[in-house]
Amino acid sequence: MAIIIIDYGIGNLYSVANAIKKVTKEKVYITNDAKKIKLSNRIILPGQGAIKDCIKELKKKELYWLLKEIINTTNKPVLGICIGQHLLMESSEENKGVFGINYIKGIVKNYKNKNFKIPHTGWNIVYKHKEHQIWNGIKSGSRFYFVHSFYVKTRFKNNVLGVTEYGGKCANVITYYNSVITVQFHPEKSSSLGLKFLKNFINWLP
Amino acid sequence: MSLSKRIIPCLDIDCGKVVKGIKFENTRYAGDPLKIAKFYNEQKADEIALLDIKASYSGKNNTIEVVKKIANEIFIPLTVGGGIKTCKNIRELLNAGADKISINTAAVLNPKIVREASDKFGSQCIVVAIDAKRKTNKNIKEDWEVLTYGGRKNSGISAIDWACKMVKYGAGELLITSIDRDGTKRGFDINLIKTISQRVNVPIIASGGVGNLDHFVEGIKTGKADAVLAASIFHFGEYTIDKAKKYMAKKGISVRF
C-alpha cells in the first residue's frame, strides 16, 4: 500500500514526490510498474509539456489502459495535476486535437487571446465553486502557482470545485468525479497552501 | 487583473555557498543557500532563482546538492541557471528538484539546445536568459546587443531579434538583464524590457539595476514586465520582500501575500 506517482518519462516528478513526502508518512513511489500501481492506495498523475507526447508515452508504457481500467472499475483516489488534469478529460485542442482518457466530461481549450501572456505563469486566485474536502483549511480566493497554455472547461457544472480567471476566460481549475480529482495549478509548488491541498487529497476517502 | 506580478530573489552561488549577499540583519543566514531560501520563502517570495556564478557546471557540481536541499524543504518554483549546456545537465537538475532551467551562453553557441530542451521537457521549464548591452552608436535606432559568458563577450546579435527567435524556439519565459544597469542601483533599462515585452507573448522577468522599490513598480508598470528579479536589494537587508510587495500593492500592482 502506497502512494504512486506515475512515471511515464515526462514531467517533474521529483517536485511532486518531495511535496507528498512532506505531508504523509505513507510510502511514496515514482514508478511505471503496473503491479505497484494496481496495489497502490492512491495515484497521482502528473504531466508537463505537450499532451500528445504524454499520451504517446502513457500508451507506449501500457499505462493508458491500466489507468483507464483502474479509474473505471475501482474507487482508488486519483489526482491529475496540470497535463494530468487535461489527460482525464474527453479531448484537448492542443496539438491540433487529441482524445483524452475521457473520465470527466470536459474539453481542454486554447486561450486564444493575444492580449495575455501565454503560458499563464505565476500565482493566480482560485475561487471555490463547490464545497469539498479538498478545500479543507483553504479559503476561496487563495493564490496557487500556475504554468499552462490550455485550460479545462467541463460540460457539467457539478464537476467543478474551483475556478480561475485568466485571458478573459473562466477556467475550471479544480474538477472531480467520483474518486478522481484534477487540478490545473501545481499544488507541489504552491507553498503551504499547496501542501494543504495535497494533504487534503491524501486524507480524502471518496 | 488577478494574476499577480512575481518577485524573484536571486541567489548567486559559488561552490555551494551564496556569495554577494552576506549582510543580512543578522549573520546567521550568511552564505547558507537553504537558510536564505527559507528566509525568502517565509517572506512570500514567489519564486527563487539560483545562479551558479562561476558557470562551471559539471555533473559533480555542488549546485545539484544545493538544489536538492532547497527542493526538499521549499515548495515554490525554483529556477536554476549558470553554465548549463546539455539536456543531460537539465535532466539532472530537474531530477534534483529544479522547476525551470535558465540557459544563456549555451543558447547563443547552439540555439538548437533551446528547441531540443523545450521539446523534451516542455516550454514551461525553459527560461532563456538574455544579457543585453545598449548599443552606443547614436546614428542607429535604439538597440541592444546580446553578451555571453556573464557579460564578458560580445555576440553581435541584436537582443530584440534574439528574444523573438528564442520564443520561436520554445522558450517559455525570458529573463532580461541589462548589463549597463546591473549593479548600478539606477533601476531597470525600461526601454529594453518594454521593447521585448511588447514583441513577444511569453512572460518577461526584468533584471539588473534595482536600487529601490520604485524601480520594481516602474519595471512592471512602464516596462510591462511580468516578474522582477533582484539580488542585492534583498540580500543586504535594505528591503524585505514583504515590504516590496506592500509598496507595489499600494501602487496598484497585483501581488501575492
Side-chain angles (χ1 to χ4, degrees), chain A:
Chain A
M1 296 296 267
I3 297 166
I4 294 291
I5 296 159
I6 298 209
D7 177 11
Y8 53 101
I10 293 181
N12 198 352
L13 312 170
Y14 293 83
S15 289
V16 180
N18 275 341
I20 297 281
K21 282 177 191 161
K22 193 84 181 171
V23 296
T24 181
K25 289 200 173 77
E26 285 183 65
K27 287 212 166 77
V28 180
Y29 296 116
I30 299 175
T31 186
N32 56 21
D33 179 3
K35 215 185 262 172
K36 272 195 179 159
I37 294 171
K38 275 186 187 160
L39 283 172
S40 69
N41 54 5
R42 261 164 229 277
I43 293 175
I44 293 174
L45 178 63
Q48 262 174 4
I51 193 164
K52 204 169 100 191
D53 296 336
C54 290
I55 291 177
K56 199 174 102 193
E57 290 303 313
L58 276 173
K59 285 188 173 164
K60 207 161 86 186
K61 297 194 167 63
E62 291 177 16
L63 296 168
Y64 186 85
W65 300 106
L66 176 71
L67 256 176
K68 213 164 171 157
E69 184 198 314
I70 290 174
I71 291 169
N72 283 311
T73 59
T74 73
N75 217 17
K76 211 188 281 282
V78 175
L79 176 65
I81 301 175
C82 198
I83 302 289
Q85 172 184 48
H86 298 182
L87 290 168
L88 290 157
M89 301 295 151
E90 285 169 62
S91 65
S92 171
E93 293 177 357
E94 198 183 344
N95 303 131
K96 295 174 186 156
V98 291
F99 290 107
I101 290 172
N102 191 13
Y103 189 69
I104 293 178
K105 297 293 167 203
I107 310 288
V108 184
K109 297 169 88 84
N110 191 333
Y111 272 109
K112 276 188 202 146
N113 189 332
K114 288 214 161 70
N115 298 320
F116 286 81
K117 295 282 177 89
I118 303 293
H120 170 216
T121 306
W123 298 79
N124 209 338
I125 295 171
V126 180
Y127 294 102
K128 192 189 286 184
H129 187 265
K130 192 173 170 181
E131 278 297 345
H132 188 279
Q133 209 176 317
I134 204 80
W135 279 104
N136 277 1
I138 301 171
K139 279 190 195 131
S140 178
S142 296
R143 284 187 189 273
F144 291 90
Y145 184 77
F146 289 85
V147 50
H148 64 116
S149 303
F150 292 79
Y151 70 99
V152 164
K153 204 81 191 166
T154 61
R155 285 189 196 275
F156 307 110
K157 280 215 168 85
N158 56 4
N159 289 130
V160 182
L161 297 177
V163 296
T164 293
E165 280 176 48
Y166 187 71
K169 305 286 194 282
C170 181
N172 300 150
V173 297
I174 314 172
T175 69
Y176 87 118
Y177 183 53
N178 293 334
S179 61
V180 173
I181 292 186
T182 78
V183 61
Q184 177 68 73
F185 55 79
H186 289 272
E188 77 280 11
K189 284 289 145 188
S190 296
S191 200
S192 51
L193 285 178
L195 293 181
K196 201 166 269 176
F197 183 95
L198 291 173
K199 197 167 185 163
N200 289 343
F201 170 70
I202 284 162
N203 291 335
W204 176 46
L205 297 169

Side-chain angles (χ1 to χ4, degrees), chain B residues 13 16-19 21-22 24 27-34 36:
Chain B
I13 306 280
K17 291 255 184 286
V18 176
V19 291
I22 330 271
F24 274 95
T27 49
R28 74 196 148 102
Y29 295 113
D32 181 344
L34 177 61
I36 295 174

Side-chain angles (χ1 to χ4, degrees), chain B residues 95-115:
Chain B
N95 286 358
D99 298 287
K100 303 185 201 179
I101 303 298
S102 156
I103 307 176
N104 192 332
T105 303
V108 177
L109 298 179
N110 173 25
K112 274 187 249 161
I113 177 77
V114 174
R115 184 167 276 158

